[in-house]
């Protein structure tokens, strides 16, 4: 697929997807979500890529749904758009490789929800993050009802969604919505540094650990989760790379 709404690159075992509609602050249309799903499949199938970064081109991560694009939509067309959005969100949430959102500017609405779907979020201190849905008579998507609560707790989640106020990257760090907040000119270096630490590890372990996190978030009972933990550990220690990993670890301790 030739991309019009995103840019895909890879470097040193790290994939990079840039939302690429800077003239409209990376507002999202159905085509962007279709291209995103295609790029995710490329990353999934590429054994050389062990982690994925998602960011925005220009001065925004994404300002959410393209409202101009949605004005004349029929309800059925809107349903198709939302289904594309939700499918892409599911793929990111359940993506077997670690994902990092580098929030370089405005992250609003479904742009904010895209960042929530990632495993790790690193924001520019100056970024503005929030859900304006209540201001425009809409509601959140992308699993945000659960994802926000998991990060900041039910009370703070309600405050953020009910008030529809934006917060800075710095404030987002204080409440646990993002992992780190750094100056904008350091954002991509910081994000790639994090990605390098991740890709230095076993891709098989990362895959199983991520699956375990999803199970722990409510997709399975505690008993099923703990049974899975046994099988995941046994699967890891049975691999050929296990002995080499232990030798390498012992050498680093000396």
């Amino acid at each position: 697929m030739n991309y019009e709404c995103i840019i895909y690159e890879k470097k040193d075992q790290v994939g990079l997807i840039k939302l690429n509609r800077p003239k409209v602050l990376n507002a999202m249309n159905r085509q962007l979500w279709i291209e995103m799903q295609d790029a995710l499949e490329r990353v999934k199938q590429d054994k050389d890529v062990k982690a994925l970064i998602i960011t925005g081109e220009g001065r925004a991560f994404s300002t959410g749904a393209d409202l101009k694009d949605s004005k004349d939509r029929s309800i059925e067309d809107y349903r198709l758009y939302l289904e594309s959005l939700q499918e892409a969100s599911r793929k990111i949430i359940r993506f077997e490789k670690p994902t990092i959102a580098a929030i370089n500017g405005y992250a609003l609405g479904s742009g904010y929800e895209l960042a929530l779907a990632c495993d790790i979020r690193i924001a520019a201190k100056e970024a503005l993050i929030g859900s304006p849905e209540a201001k425009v008579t809409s509601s959140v998507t992308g699993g945000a009802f659960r994802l926000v609560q998991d990060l900041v707790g039910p009370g703070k989640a309600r405050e953020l969604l009910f008030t529809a106020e934006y917060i800075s990257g710095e404030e987002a760090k204080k409440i646990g919505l993002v992992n780190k907040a750094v100056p904008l000119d350091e954002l991509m270096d910081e994000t790639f540094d994090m990605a390098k630490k991740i890709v230095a590890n076993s891709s098989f372990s990362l895959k199983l650990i991520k699956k375990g996190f999803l199970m722990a978030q409510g997709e399975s009972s505690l008993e099923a989760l703990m049974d899975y933990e046994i099988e995941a550990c046994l699967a890891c220690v049975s691999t050929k790379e296990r002995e080499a990993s232990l030798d390498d670890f012992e050498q680093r301790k000396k």
Side-chain angles (χ1 to χ4, degrees), residues 100-171:
I100 307 173
I103 305 172
N104 54 304
Y106 294 106
L108 310 177
S110 48
Y112 165 49
E113 292 152 14
L114 171 59
L116 289 174
C118 293
D119 297 306
I120 295 168
R121 284 152 297 284
I122 301 177
K125 289 182 177 181
E126 307 93 323
L128 285 177
I129 302 168
S131 294
E133 280 83 358
K135 291 183 185 292
V136 294
T137 318
S138 187
S139 186
V140 299
T141 54
F145 284 121
R146 192 182 85 180
L147 297 174
V148 179
Q149 290 191 75
D150 284 349
L151 290 168
V152 302
K156 193 65 178 180
R158 285 165 171 75
E159 177 188 332
L160 292 172
L161 298 184
F162 290 167
T163 64
E165 291 181 339
Y166 304 157
I167 60 173
S168 68
E170 198 161 21
E171 178 64 20

Side-chain angles (χ1 to χ4, degrees), residues 85-104:
L85 182 158
Q86 295 289 68
E87 187 57 29
S89 293
R90 283 191 195 95
K91 284 184 177 178
I92 296 166
I93 291 167
R94 294 173 176 158
F95 202 60
E96 63 185 32
K97 300 178 183 183
T99 55
I100 307 173
I103 305 172
N104 54 304

Side-chain angles (χ1 to χ4, degrees), residues 74-247:
S74 68
I75 289 295
E76 274 310 305
D77 285 342
Y78 214 106
R79 180 179 294 278
L80 287 171
Y81 165 76
L82 291 172
E83 287 174 352
S84 296
L85 182 158
Q86 295 289 68
E87 187 57 29
S89 293
R90 283 191 195 95
K91 284 184 177 178
I92 296 166
I93 291 167
R94 294 173 176 158
F95 202 60
E96 63 185 32
K97 300 178 183 183
T99 55
I100 307 173
I103 305 172
N104 54 304
Y106 294 106
L108 310 177
S110 48
Y112 165 49
E113 292 152 14
L114 171 59
L116 289 174
C118 293
D119 297 306
I120 295 168
R121 284 152 297 284
I122 301 177
K125 289 182 177 181
E126 307 93 323
L128 285 177
I129 302 168
S131 294
E133 280 83 358
K135 291 183 185 292
V136 294
T137 318
S138 187
S139 186
V140 299
T141 54
F145 284 121
R146 192 182 85 180
L147 297 174
V148 179
Q149 290 191 75
D150 284 349
L151 290 168
V152 302
K156 193 65 178 180
R158 285 165 171 75
E159 177 188 332
L160 292 172
L161 298 184
F162 290 167
T163 64
E165 291 181 339
Y166 304 157
I167 60 173
S168 68
E170 198 161 21
E171 178 64 20
K173 169 64 174 70
K174 289 178 183 176
I175 65 172
L177 196 64
V178 303
N179 298 69
K180 290 186 177 185
V182 299
L184 178 59
D185 60 1
E186 298 176 15
L187 177 64
M188 293 313 296
D189 285 343
E190 189 74 28
T191 305
F192 270 100
D193 283 348
M194 174 77 76
K196 287 175 185 175
K197 292 176 183 177
I198 292 170
V199 302
N201 296 318
S202 162
S203 55
F204 188 62
S205 288
L206 293 171
K207 176 181 176 179
L208 294 179
I209 289 168
K210 180 158 183 179
K211 183 179 177 182
F213 272 122
L214 290 172
M215 293 173 69
Q217 284 177 306
E219 293 195 356
S220 300
S221 68
L222 179 61
E223 289 306 312
L225 172 65
M226 295 180 78
D227 287 343
Y228 168 78
E229 288 173 342
I230 292 172
E231 299 307 321
C233 282
L234 292 175
C236 286
V237 300
S238 300
T239 60
K240 290 181 180 179
E241 66 179 314
R242 165 71 170 178
E243 190 172 341
S245 296
L246 290 177
D247 288 343

Side-chain angles (χ1 to χ4, degrees), residues 8-16 42-52 95 97 199 203:
Y8 175 67
E9 304 168 352
K10 67 176 184 176
K11 177 185 177 184
D12 299 331
Q13 297 184 295
V14 179
L16 175 64
R42 285 179 63 180
V43 174
K44 180 181 176 180
Q45 298 298 330
D46 191 338
K47 293 181 179 178
D48 292 333
V49 176
K50 295 174 67 175
L52 173 66
F95 202 60
K97 300 178 183 183
V199 302
S203 55

